[in-house]
């Protein structure tokens, strides 16, 4: 993991722009870096969320509909997985697959709620904003 690229991705992410350096350090210290090869499923629609969400540090992923078409491409400095955390069943609402080799920083929301309490409300707002992007009948 390149610490500078992780910090840059955090700073460029809309969700984290108002955080100070101490909060960014908390995010870096509490996140788990994962490398996803091309074609790896990150989140599967209908699976339990395991209380996790992530930030794409490098690369990109595709949000894929039931019929296999790409609904949206998500790239560097974007958060995903927050929608599942906002629903009462904690179930993934979409399938997300690495379009290319991708590095993510993944967190457990319960750790983040304790350390950066205000971030939870922002995460919920982001989730509801994105819901319309992923809704499929």
């Amino acid at each position: 993991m390149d610490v500078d690229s992780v910090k840059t991705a955090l700073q460029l992410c809309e969700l984290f722009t108002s955080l100070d350096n101490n909060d960014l350090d908390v995010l870096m210290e509490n996140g788990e870096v994962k490398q996803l090869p091309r074609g790896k499923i990150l989140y599967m629609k209908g699976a339990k969320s395991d209380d996790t969400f992530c930030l794409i540090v490098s690369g990109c992923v595709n949000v894929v509909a039931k019929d296999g078409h790409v609904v949206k491409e998500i790239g560097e400095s974007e958060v995903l997985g927050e929608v599942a955390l906002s629903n009462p069943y904690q179930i993934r609402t979409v399938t997300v697959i690495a379009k290319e080799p991708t590095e993510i920083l993944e967190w457990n929301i319960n750790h983040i709620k304790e350390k950066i309490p205000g971030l939870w409300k922002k995460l919920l707002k982001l989730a509801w904003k994105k819901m319309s992007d992923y809704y499929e009948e």
Side-chain angles (χ1 to χ4, degrees):
M1 167 183 80
D2 176 12
V3 174
D4 290 334
S5 63
V6 172
K7 192 145 195 171
T8 298
L10 284 167
Q11 291 170 328
L12 292 174
C13 179
E14 181 181 340
L15 181 66
F16 305 128
T17 54
S18 64
L19 299 181
D20 62 26
N21 281 331
N22 290 334
D23 288 339
L24 293 176
D25 289 341
V26 166
L27 287 172
M28 289 178 63
E29 291 165 9
N30 287 275
E32 180 182 352
V33 175
K34 292 184 178 181
Q35 304 290 334
L36 307 174
R38 182 181 185 273
K40 173 79 174 172
I41 295 174
L42 173 59
Y43 299 139
M44 177 65 83
K45 183 175 181 167
K48 289 280 192 185
S49 73
D50 294 328
D51 297 325
T52 61
F53 72 106
C54 70
L55 172 77
I56 297 178
V57 176
S58 65
C60 67
V61 297
N62 286 329
V63 175
V64 181
K66 286 188 281 190
D67 66 3
H69 82 275
V70 175
V71 176
K72 183 172 180 153
E73 184 176 298
I74 300 175
E76 294 177 12
S77 298
E78 292 189 68
V79 169
L80 64 148
E82 78 289 348
V83 174
L85 301 177
S86 71
N87 76 59
Y89 302 107
Q90 301 273 305
I91 300 293
R92 298 289 178 202
T93 57
V94 295
T95 297
V96 178
I97 302 172
K99 179 180 179 182
E100 60 189 45
T102 301
E103 181 178 54
I104 64 167
L105 187 59
E106 189 172 58
W107 300 277
N108 181 299
I109 189 58
N110 297 313
H111 298 145
I112 301 305
K113 279 182 185 178
E114 288 175 18
K115 298 174 193 292
I116 312 173
L119 190 57
W120 175 238
K121 286 183 181 178
K122 288 182 176 187
L123 198 63
L124 286 175
K125 284 181 184 178
L126 178 62
W128 288 107
K129 181 179 169 185
K130 284 185 178 180
M131 283 298 286
S132 63
D133 291 343
Y134 305 136
Y135 180 74
E136 65 177 318
E137 295 188 49

